[in-house]
Amino acid sequence: MAEFSAPFDGSPIATQSQWSRMARRWGIDGVHADDPVSAALKVTGNGSGNVSLAVGEAFVNGFYYKNDAARNVAVTANAGSSARIDMVVLRASMSTKKVTAEYVTGGTSAPTLATDEAGVYEVPLAQCTVAAGSSVVTAANVADRRWFTGRGSVPSVPGARRPSVRGQLLVEGSSLYVGDGAGWQWLASPGVQDATYTPVWSAGSTTINWGSNSQNIGRYQAVGRRVDLTIQLIPTGNPPAYTDPIEVSLPPGLPCTSVHRSMFTWHFNSSNGNGGMQGLAITYPSTSTLRIARMRYSVTTTTGGGDPFPDIRDVLTNLPINMRAGDILTLDGSYWLA
């Protein structure tokens, strides 16, 4: 099969088919509009034998179309005994060499649009319902079916954004924004879609060994400056009774902010007859931004025989429960990045 490339001097775009194939890569089919509430090429009914097509522009199969004055499109009378569902379309015809607005009749369902890129190609504008024995379409019997096409995302320099356009995407640095017509609203920043790591558990300066082949998985997702994290541990061994609180590492390269502490929930279920517990875990940025520094549980205590009052204690490898092979410990929560 021969190769083809154009346009070059001596190798122009010579046919409408070549143009259509090339131009389809520049923009997708649809009505040119900044906002779906735009009236561009909108079809309306008024109870007459016509529907009205507003001014506007569009792409159809790579060809440009413009309607510079409101025009009527004739409704085909319905001689049947039941309501009929029709369509108003923009039709690109390779044989007539033009794009025109056309009224296409259907039946109990809307007609199928033509999609022959080398012959007739149609994009929808409106769906019209015509009552049995009628030739008119009221405003209530027109449903908007326009496809829209627009500009791609635009780059921006901080402090020099262009005026907001509704539905327009803007890229500033590595962050994505969308216009609402009044300002630019943040959508997303680079992050991690879905990843896992092996958490490192420690008690003070000692790494906790939970046994060979223990299940020790951290799963996380980073969106903008926030990280969602779940850690699950199922030991295969019984670690010593360390006197320092249990700590666990955060995902590598994603340290927590030093501005404030972040909270997680933890849940423990024993497979060794010790029941279950749950509580809160917390980051201590003043100590480290690389790990969850405390797992804590609530207790009720008294001082000097007085009234009981609430207190919290740190979870150790053997307190308040002795963590052993087969037990399940889960931490879940979110934190802000540094």
Side-chain angles (χ1 to χ4, degrees), residues 29-207:
D29 292 332
V31 175
H32 295 291
D34 291 333
D35 191 322
V37 302
S38 167
L41 296 181
K42 188 168 185 177
V43 175
T44 54
N46 58 12
S48 71
N50 300 293
V51 290
S52 178
L53 177 65
V55 300
E57 301 165 88
F59 281 147
V60 184
N61 196 29
F63 297 103
Y64 172 71
Y65 171 82
K66 181 179 181 179
N67 181 43
D68 60 7
R71 62 182 298 268
N72 289 327
V73 180
V75 174
T76 302
N78 180 8
S81 59
S82 59
R84 191 187 66 208
I85 302 175
D86 304 333
M87 296 289 290
V88 179
V89 303
L90 290 179
R91 176 184 295 162
S93 171
M94 301 293 270
S95 61
T96 63
K97 305 183 188 307
K98 58 184 177 180
V99 177
T100 54
E102 302 290 342
Y103 192 91
V104 183
T105 59
T108 55
S109 60
T112 300
L113 301 182
T115 57
D116 184 357
E117 296 176 349
V120 173
Y121 194 92
E122 298 170 336
V123 299
L125 293 178
Q127 178 177 296
C128 303
T129 301
V130 185
S134 176
S135 61
V136 302
V137 173
T138 65
N141 287 330
V142 177
D144 194 358
R145 292 293 183 265
R146 289 173 298 168
W147 293 349
F148 292 96
T149 186
R151 295 160 291 187
S153 61
V154 294
S156 176
V157 176
R161 293 177 183 172
R162 67 181 64 214
S164 173
V165 176
R166 187 175 178 86
Q168 174 69 52
L169 296 178
L170 178 143
V171 178
E172 190 170 278
S174 57
S175 295
L176 179 66
Y177 299 82
V178 64
D180 62 6
W184 295 97
Q185 305 302 319
W186 176 83
L187 280 181
S189 296
V192 179
Q193 183 176 2
D194 186 9
T196 60
Y197 76 109
T198 302
V200 176
W201 299 80
S202 58
S205 60
T206 303
T207 299

Side-chain angles (χ1 to χ4, degrees), residues 211-233:
S212 60
N213 299 318
S214 61
Q215 185 184 109
N216 178 31
I217 301 174
R219 185 168 187 171
Y220 62 98
Q221 181 182 60
V223 180
R225 306 302 302 169
R226 191 166 180 82
V227 181
D228 296 323
L229 173 64
T230 298
I231 299 173
Q232 180 165 289
L233 170 68

Side-chain angles (χ1 to χ4, degrees), residues 126-337:
Q127 178 177 296
C128 303
T129 301
V130 185
S134 176
S135 61
V136 302
V137 173
T138 65
N141 287 330
V142 177
D144 194 358
R145 292 293 183 265
R146 289 173 298 168
W147 293 349
F148 292 96
T149 186
R151 295 160 291 187
S153 61
V154 294
S156 176
V157 176
R161 293 177 183 172
R162 67 181 64 214
S164 173
V165 176
R166 187 175 178 86
Q168 174 69 52
L169 296 178
L170 178 143
V171 178
E172 190 170 278
S174 57
S175 295
L176 179 66
Y177 299 82
V178 64
D180 62 6
W184 295 97
Q185 305 302 319
W186 176 83
L187 280 181
S189 296
V192 179
Q193 183 176 2
D194 186 9
T196 60
Y197 76 109
T198 302
V200 176
W201 299 80
S202 58
S205 60
T206 303
T207 299
I208 300 174
N209 182 358
W210 296 108
S212 60
N213 299 318
S214 61
Q215 185 184 109
N216 178 31
I217 301 174
R219 185 168 187 171
Y220 62 98
Q221 181 182 60
V223 180
R225 306 302 302 169
R226 191 166 180 82
V227 181
D228 296 323
L229 173 64
T230 298
I231 299 173
Q232 180 165 289
L233 170 68
I234 304 177
T236 59
N238 305 332
Y242 296 113
T243 57
D244 290 309
I246 294 177
E247 302 179 359
V248 61
S249 64
L250 295 171
L254 298 173
C256 68
T257 179
S258 60
V259 176
H260 54 73
R261 299 175 180 179
S262 295
M263 304 292 290
F264 301 79
T265 58
W266 64 265
H267 183 271
F268 173 84
N269 187 72
S270 174
S271 297
N272 296 283
N274 293 123
M277 288 192 67
Q278 61 186 19
L280 296 176
I282 191 170
T283 59
Y284 270 42
S286 58
T287 300
S288 174
T289 58
L290 304 178
R291 60 183 182 269
I292 298 172
R294 295 289 186 275
M295 292 171 51
R296 291 186 153 173
Y297 63 99
S298 298
V299 296
T300 300
T301 186
T302 58
T303 301
D307 293 333
F309 63 90
D311 199 0
I312 54 174
R313 302 285 171 82
D314 294 328
V315 176
L316 311 182
T317 54
N318 67 327
L319 286 174
I321 41 185
N322 187 16
M323 296 185 64
R324 292 176 287 177
D327 294 345
I328 302 175
L329 175 64
T330 302
L331 287 86
D332 187 78
S334 301
Y335 69 94
W336 291 102
L337 290 170

